[in-house]
Amino acid sequence: NAGVTQTPKFRILKIGQSMTLQCAQDMNHNYMYWYRQDPGMGLKLIYYSVGAGITDKGEVPNGYNVSRSTTEDFPLRLELAAPSQTSVYFCASSYSMAGGGYGYTFGSGTRLTVV
Amino acid sequence: AQKVTQAQTEISVVEKEDVTLDCVYETRDTTYYLFWYKQPPSGELVFLIRRNSFDEQNEISGRYSWNFQKSTSSFNFTITASQVVDSAVYFCALSEGNQAGTALIFGKGTTLSVSS
């Protein structure tokens, strides 16, 4: 199992450009998440999905879009990149645990700089 | 509303000192789960521990120990005899209940610097 794979690891975008951050998991987890991490601010939820075809907004969804056409993939799209979107992005998936609740598996992150 | 507070932004210690990282949480759910993650300079998130709301037993794993107190809504993390390799950002996180897709809510993190 590769776990949660994020690509690319690093990217520099110009203001107004668009791009898609890729996230794939091979663990057959139904639930997937996108977080962004800004310095000193912890991780904030952008979007999440409870299964193929179902997505919902998190705390900071503005400027982003997601889709979930398959269980494995959960791409995050930036349509018009802005400097405020400079951040480290983490994708995660979760699984039910014995005894209740969920465990979470994180990708290694994508460092995005918008200039 | 759910919330996780890590009041200590940065802590600096010298090797072999003990250090405690504080975590205070807020939730209205009676069933919830608390986590600690380590983020070393390389940037990945390393899972350390998960504790459910019904288990207030303290946990020890090598030099790491966790103190969960529901009465004060705290889940503190102690590193005994700290080492330079412990230098990292540490995050406390909360997930509520058992509903599908429940997300982790993170604190802002505490940056620990251990010098030799």
Side-chain angles (χ1 to χ4, degrees):
Chain A
N1 284 355
V4 177
T5 302
Q6 290 185 239
T7 54
K9 293 193 182 303
F10 304 94
R11 182 73 186 267
I12 299 175
L13 273 184
K14 293 185 178 179
I15 294 172
Q17 285 185 323
S18 62
M19 77 163 292
T20 299
L21 281 66
Q22 301 292 344
C23 176
Q25 52 95 5
D26 61 357
M27 299 169 286
N28 203 33
H29 292 170
N30 282 327
Y31 314 133
M32 296 187 73
Y33 313 84
W34 274 105
Y35 288 88
R36 61 176 286 172
Q37 180 185 8
D38 300 315
M41 297 302 294
L43 280 76
K44 294 189 176 181
L45 185 67
I46 306 171
Y47 271 95
Y48 67 99
S49 169
V50 298
I54 306 170
T55 62
D56 209 345
K57 296 177 181 178
E59 183 184 358
V60 289
N62 290 347
Y64 307 95
N65 280 300
V66 293
S67 59
R68 184 98 181 269
S69 57
T70 66
T71 299
E72 294 77 20
D73 299 299
F74 190 39
L76 177 71
R77 178 117 180 123
L78 284 70
E79 289 294 349
L80 290 170
S84 61
Q85 293 177 304
T86 294
S87 190
V88 179
Y89 293 84
F90 287 96
C91 180
S93 66
S94 69
Y95 52 96
S96 299
M97 294 189 71
Y102 296 90
Y104 299 82
T105 302
F106 282 85
S108 57
T110 295
R111 184 175 295 275
L112 175 68
T113 302
V114 181
V115 296
Chain B
Q2 60 275 29
K3 186 178 178 182
V4 176
T5 301
Q6 295 179 256
Q8 303 150 308
T9 305
E10 295 182 18
I11 301 176
S12 295
V13 298
V14 178
E15 254 190 328
K16 299 184 183 177
E17 284 187 33
D18 298 348
V19 58
T20 295
L21 309 182
D22 297 333
C23 173
V24 174
Y25 62 91
E26 295 176 29
T27 178
R28 293 180 180 174
D29 277 13
T30 55
T31 301
Y32 53 90
Y33 303 85
L34 296 164
F35 298 73
W36 276 95
Y37 286 86
K38 174 182 180 180
Q39 187 177 46
S42 52
E44 74 274 22
L45 288 165
V46 178
F47 167 78
L48 296 177
I49 191 171
R50 185 187 93 131
R51 173 68 72 203
N52 73 54
S53 53
F54 300 108
D55 182 3
E56 282 193 79
Q57 269 192 316
N58 291 335
E59 174 118 0
I60 298 174
S61 177
R63 296 184 296 107
Y64 294 171
S65 62
W66 290 269
N67 180 251
F68 176 30
Q69 292 197 338
K70 289 177 76 170
S71 60
T72 55
S73 297
S74 65
F75 187 44
N76 296 337
F77 173 30
T78 297
I79 302 174
T80 302
S82 60
Q83 299 176 2
V84 172
V85 293
D86 296 326
S87 297
V89 182
Y90 291 87
F91 291 101
C92 182
L94 164 74
S95 70
E96 293 181 316
N98 291 302
Q99 68 181 72
T102 186
L104 278 173
I105 300 152
F106 285 84
K108 293 183 178 182
T110 297
T111 300
L112 174 64
S113 298
V114 182
S115 57
S116 57

